[in-house]
Amino acid sequence: MKIAVLVSGRGSNLQALIKNLHGFDVEIVGVVSDNEDAPALKHARTADIPTASFAEASYDGREARDLAIADWLDENQAELVVLAGYMALLSDSFVARFRDRIINVHPSLLPAFPGTRAVEMAVAAGVKVFGVTVHLVDEGIDTGPILLQRAVELDGYSDPTEIHQILQKIEHELLPEGVRLMADGAVSRDPANPQRLIIER
Ligand code: GAR
């Protein structure tokens, strides 16, 4: 399967995808960022993967920027769009164009703590069990059907940076696993409850 990865920052999840999947059954055909200075783009270039950046300021609004991204993804024949630390909200028309072909990794046990600063919110709420979710993207903020989740008990931890580092190790396993399931055609919606995904491993 040909996939594209959208990034905004450091790119450790992108590195996990390159290391675990790229060149096997999955080909990363492009890496796109909303931030031309994202360190993640360097990881892509090192792996000889085409890159493009689309700063919102260069377009007449987010809708126009997302249309340009979508056209680039189609030109590069991306079948699945993987959000790996992509921190901009995608427009509804982008989500509709790639319906059920966008997945995201998020550092909380959704539906708890959607949006940015999930780990900080979890710490502020005093939770003792943290976790990671890989989910399909719909028009809401981190509301799409859940593909994979893994929890970790971190009783007594209160430093968001330390917690996030622990969660990222989980992300680096869970996101490639989610992509592999999508590439294998193992994921479908439960007809009785379309918010629930059925996975046939
Ligand atoms: C990841 O931890 C990911 O879960 C988070 O951004 C980080 C990117 O790290 N995404 C969100 O919070 C999305 N709401 P990376 O650039 O090292 O892969």
Side-chain angles (χ1 to χ4, degrees), residues 14-15 18 22 31 39-51:
L14 171 65
Q15 281 183 292
I18 293 171
H22 185 52
V31 173
L41 292 172
K42 292 199 192 86
H43 300 312
R45 290 188 200 110
T46 303
D48 282 332
I49 298 168
T51 63

Side-chain angles (χ1 to χ4, degrees), residues 3-193:
I3 71 166
V5 185
L6 269 55
V7 294
S8 297
R10 207 159 61 89
S12 68
N13 279 287
L14 171 65
Q15 281 183 292
L17 293 170
I18 293 171
K19 180 164 165 249
N20 291 296
L21 298 178
H22 185 52
F24 300 98
D25 292 344
V26 171
E27 182 191 355
I28 303 176
V29 294
V31 173
V32 168
S33 184
D34 57 335
N35 165 20
E36 64 181 2
D37 298 322
L41 292 172
K42 292 199 192 86
H43 300 312
R45 290 188 200 110
T46 303
D48 282 332
I49 298 168
T51 63
S53 52
F54 298 84
E56 193 175 336
S58 311
Y59 295 88
D60 188 13
R62 186 160 55 90
E63 189 85 23
R65 188 266 300 275
D66 286 1
L67 182 62
I69 295 177
D71 287 344
W72 192 90
L73 295 175
D74 274 344
E75 275 160 30
N76 285 275
Q77 300 179 339
E79 298 164 278
L80 178 73
V81 180
V82 180
L83 310 187
Y86 186 69
M87 302 312 269
L89 191 63
L90 289 166
S91 56
D92 288 359
S93 49
F94 183 100
V95 173
R97 186 158 155 183
F98 292 93
R99 175 76 60 206
D100 287 355
R101 294 195 292 134
I102 312 172
I103 68 171
N104 180 44
V105 61
H106 184 77
S108 78
L109 293 172
L110 291 171
F113 314 119
T116 56
R117 307 187 67 75
V119 180
E120 286 85 346
M121 285 192 287
V123 170
V127 306
K128 299 180 190 303
V129 177
F130 295 78
V132 169
T133 303
V134 175
H135 65 98
L136 292 186
V137 172
D138 66 10
E139 284 79 357
I141 297 176
D142 300 323
T143 52
I146 291 167
L147 181 55
L148 296 169
Q149 281 186 313
R150 194 183 298 167
V152 56
E153 188 177 339
L154 296 172
D155 197 1
Y157 286 70
S158 60
D159 176 3
T161 305
E162 188 184 4
I163 294 166
H164 200 181
Q165 278 169 359
I166 294 167
L167 295 179
Q168 283 214 307
K169 290 204 182 96
I170 298 174
E171 292 183 344
H172 299 161
E173 293 178 14
L174 225 54
L175 184 59
E177 188 185 339
V179 172
R180 202 174 285 125
L181 288 170
M182 295 294 288
D184 287 349
V187 182
S188 60
R189 286 183 186 251
D190 181 348
N193 174 7

